[in-house]
Amino acid sequence: METTYARVEPTHPTHAQHLVDFLSGDTWPFHVADVVCRAQARQWVEDGRYGGPDNRAFWITRAGERAGLVRLTDLRDDTPLFDLRIRSQHRGRGLGGQALAWLTRNVFTEFPGVRRIEGNTAMRRALRRSGYVKEAHYRDAWPAADGRARDAVGYAVLRRHWLSGTTTVPDWDDEPGAAGPGRERRTPAGG
């Protein structure tokens, strides 16, 4: 099944309406707002989240259907971010991994000043397969719809690793005397 990517032009009225329909027409369990109302989606489009000099968005189309959306942000920086949304009926079928490979190639090819691409997503296996490496684990940092805080993880791929097809992992044990995995360290009460 062929997958294609097409740039979204959010200033075009039809494209803007398609964005609003897409964002408000499904649930997004791995995003801060897992349900997006039409008014919120419209506001995001009007605020320039999907177009402009620093942001771009692309439809992921499979078999003629808009199956997902890639959003790139901070494109004038040397470390842009991505947001990836796959419609629920297309999740778990490899589309996220394909989209990661495409967006990585697109950014590193089109933006020669980019050193690394970062993302914070639940698609850990797809990220690793695409050469991304876990660089951060933020405890109780991601607000969930039920009011609880969840851990958030950050992944990135470096241009040099993408070019060479290799990866290196951070040195997680680089602090002398720090508690290792599964070991707690006593700290003074109250800070």
Side-chain angles (χ1 to χ4, degrees), residues 48-49 51-56 72-77 80:
R49 285 188 177 203
D54 211 27
N55 302 308
R56 289 191 187 169
L72 304 171
T73 65
D74 298 333
L75 287 168
R76 292 183 288 187
D77 191 2

Side-chain angles (χ1 to χ4, degrees), residues 110-161:
E110 191 169 338
F111 298 92
V114 168
R115 290 183 309 111
R116 53 188 280 119
I117 305 166
E118 294 180 359
N120 179 349
T121 180
M123 300 174 12
R124 294 180 184 202
R125 189 174 22 223
L127 285 160
R128 287 192 305 270
R129 286 182 188 149
S130 296
Y132 285 69
V133 173
K134 180 180 172 183
E135 293 187 337
H137 195 114
Y138 303 102
R139 298 172 299 146
D140 289 348
W142 196 262
D146 63 6
R148 296 183 347 190
R150 305 270 195 290
D151 289 1
V153 293
Y155 283 79
V157 62
L158 303 179
R159 174 183 290 278
R160 63 186 164 93
H161 289 157

